[in-house]
Amino acid sequence: MIDTISPLHSTQLSVAAFLKQSKQWRNSVLGAFCFSADAVENQMQADTNVPCMHVAMQRLDAGDSVCEVWHGSGQLTQGQSGAIHYRHDEDVLLGVIELPEAMFAADMGKTPLQQATESAYRQIFALLDALRYPYLFRCWNYIADITTHSFGLERYGQFNLGRQDAFLACGRDVMGNAPAACALGFGQSTSVQGPLTTLSIAFLAGRVAPRNIENPRQISAYQYPQQYGPRSPTFSRASLVRLGQNEVLFISGTASIVGHATLHPGNAVAQARETIANIQAVLAEANRLASQPKFDLASLYYTVYVRRPADLAQICAELAHCVGNAFTAVYLQADMCREDLLLEIEATAVHTMRVIQR
Ligand code: 3EB
């Protein structure tokens, strides 16, 4: 019997390398997330038809850009719905939506960013319902000037208002079944305004319900107290998805937070260590649900967001110390959603399940 296998997986390469790939290779790509300080690859989507998210973040470890490319299987279908560009195979849909905040005026007591966020998520849920990929596995959220205050509220708080309103309006759970996610900022130090304040969101969704995972060391984000904003963030610490013979683990952006408090302000090395302890705790939870083989720190693909480039060497060294020398990571300069967080780490793993003979 041939099981339908969806080898959903990601690879990382430079924008230049992406553009050199064959047409056939590009046809297997569900979408790409491009991180680069300059805008050269804005053309990528137009040139290749691949759904492509561009995030204005500098790569710190090598080169000057990186593309996280998600691959599907079999014949892919692509389309556009509102502002969303998407591609899907039989099992998985990847979408990208980029909304300039300038499209929205502050009215009805809602800020432009809040409206952009609510609109983006409403569009996402409408598409997922229409195409019958109802389960949101993972969301990537990129917000300009994330900790800046405007309209009397921190911008990350405005984002959380819009996100939760959209989940509620679309009949989605805001507790317990939220997707894995990350929410990062860019552009803060250069006080980017105007056309660059574009909200960028990418998402992966599918037809099987993921298992949502929390971290026993942390209060669930959807239960954070009010001090972090009027509405709590809507995400789970990880999601585990079974696709054919594969198990995919999405670990959300993870930081030096225990309970709900930031630990080790000002100390990047200690924050790195605490973050790995959190990821380890999430892995332990995931492994209670996962089949064989189990997930471990060394088998993850990491994206490490670093606030201060000067901390990079020490953070790399600490991660090597905690994880071992042989692990895969990309380092990006970014702003975290709390001023006192110096880094945030997300991770993904894809396992082929071992067939157990009976
Ligand atoms: C935290 O643990 C750090 O708002 O979607 C991590 C992952 C964080 C996702 C989100 C925020 C989000 O609260 C910040």
Side-chain angles (χ1 to χ4, degrees):
M1 186 192 88
I2 298 170
D3 205 345
T4 43
I5 295 176
S6 177
L8 174 72
H9 69 283
S10 66
T11 54
Q12 280 149 340
L13 66 175
S14 71
V15 171
F18 179 95
L19 292 169
K20 280 191 203 124
Q21 300 294 320
S22 69
K23 200 164 179 197
Q24 189 189 354
W25 182 91
R26 282 190 212 152
N27 286 343
S28 77
V29 169
L30 288 166
F33 314 153
C34 297
F35 301 90
S36 167
D38 35 67
V40 281
E41 63 292 315
N42 274 340
Q43 269 304 100
M44 264 180 72
Q45 186 158 293
D47 289 356
T48 64
N49 263 327
V50 173
C52 185
M53 172 174 65
H54 170 252
V55 181
M57 285 180 183
Q58 176 82 46
R59 181 175 186 180
L60 294 175
D61 52 318
D64 56 345
S65 68
V66 63
C67 275
E68 177 173 330
V69 179
W70 283 89
H71 301 266
S73 65
Q75 184 72 40
L76 304 188
T77 303
Q78 70 187 32
Q80 201 181 335
S81 163
I84 302 174
H85 291 266
Y86 64 84
R87 271 190 181 177
H88 64 78
D89 61 20
E90 281 299 309
D91 304 311
V92 182
L93 181 145
L94 184 149
V96 168
I97 179 164
E98 295 177 312
L99 289 181
E101 291 171 40
M103 287 173 61
F104 302 88
D107 60 6
M108 305 172 303
K110 294 181 177 181
T111 74
L113 173 59
Q114 179 183 351
Q115 290 177 68
T117 309
E118 186 176 338
S119 170
Y121 275 95
R122 281 174 176 265
Q123 290 184 47
I124 290 168
F125 291 134
L127 175 71
L128 298 185
D129 289 345
L131 296 187
R132 288 175 294 104
Y133 294 81
Y135 299 104
L136 202 45
F137 299 158
R138 170 67 156 105
C139 296
W140 289 260
N141 303 289
Y142 298 97
I143 305 157
D145 299 325
I146 190 166
T147 54
T148 298
H149 287 251
S150 65
F151 304 98
L153 186 60
E154 190 179 48
R155 281 169 51 79
Y156 178 58
Q158 299 173 25
F159 167 84
N160 278 319
L161 270 167
R163 176 168 57 178
Q164 204 190 79
D165 277 343
F167 271 71
L168 293 170
C170 299
R172 299 272 172 164
D173 284 348
V174 293
M175 318 247 286
N177 287 312
C182 59
L184 279 307
F186 60 88
Q188 189 119 298
S189 51
T190 50
S191 79
V192 176
Q193 288 298 330
L196 278 181
T197 51
T198 291
L199 173 69
S200 297
I201 301 174
F203 56 96
L204 274 169
R207 291 178 161 155
V208 292
R211 311 288 296 267
N212 295 107
I213 293 158
E214 291 299 315
N215 178 351
R217 303 179 84 232
Q218 298 183 311
I219 289 176
S220 294
Y222 46 80
Q223 289 173 334
Y224 279 169
Q226 285 262 324
Q227 72 197 80
Y228 301 104
R231 234 44 109 55
S232 14
T234 309
F235 69 95
S236 296
R237 299 300 179 182
S239 62
L240 180 66
V241 183
R242 189 171 165 173
L243 294 166
Q245 292 299 107
N246 288 299
E247 250 174 353
V248 186
L249 177 64
F250 298 102
I251 299 182
S252 294
T254 306
S256 179
I257 295 173
V258 174
H260 60 76
T262 300
L263 295 195
H264 321 297
N267 185 341
V269 169
Q271 287 200 11
R273 197 179 311 131
E274 200 69 53
T275 300
I276 292 297
N278 277 329
I279 291 176
Q280 193 96 64
V282 171
L283 283 176
E285 291 297 295
N287 282 334
R288 303 197 318 178
L289 306 171
S291 60
Q292 297 291 333
K294 299 300 184 189
F295 295 97
D296 60 36
L297 283 178
S299 67
L300 300 177
Y301 289 85
Y302 295 90
T303 301
V304 183
Y305 299 96
V306 175
R307 183 186 294 279
R308 307 185 301 213
D311 291 333
L312 178 69
Q314 278 192 307
I315 291 171
C316 289
E318 185 59 27
L319 295 183
H321 179 75
C322 295
V323 182
N325 278 314
F327 69 103
T328 313
V330 166
Y331 294 82
L332 299 168
Q333 198 281 315
D335 301 317
M336 288 76 231
C337 60
R338 295 184 189 185
E339 303 263 20
D340 52 11
L341 290 175
L342 296 174
L343 60 108
E344 186 171 311
I345 304 178
E346 64 189 36
T348 304
V350 182
H351 275 178
T352 300
M353 288 169 359
R354 200 174 290 145
V355 178
I356 299 179
Q357 306 284 342
R358 306 195 183 216

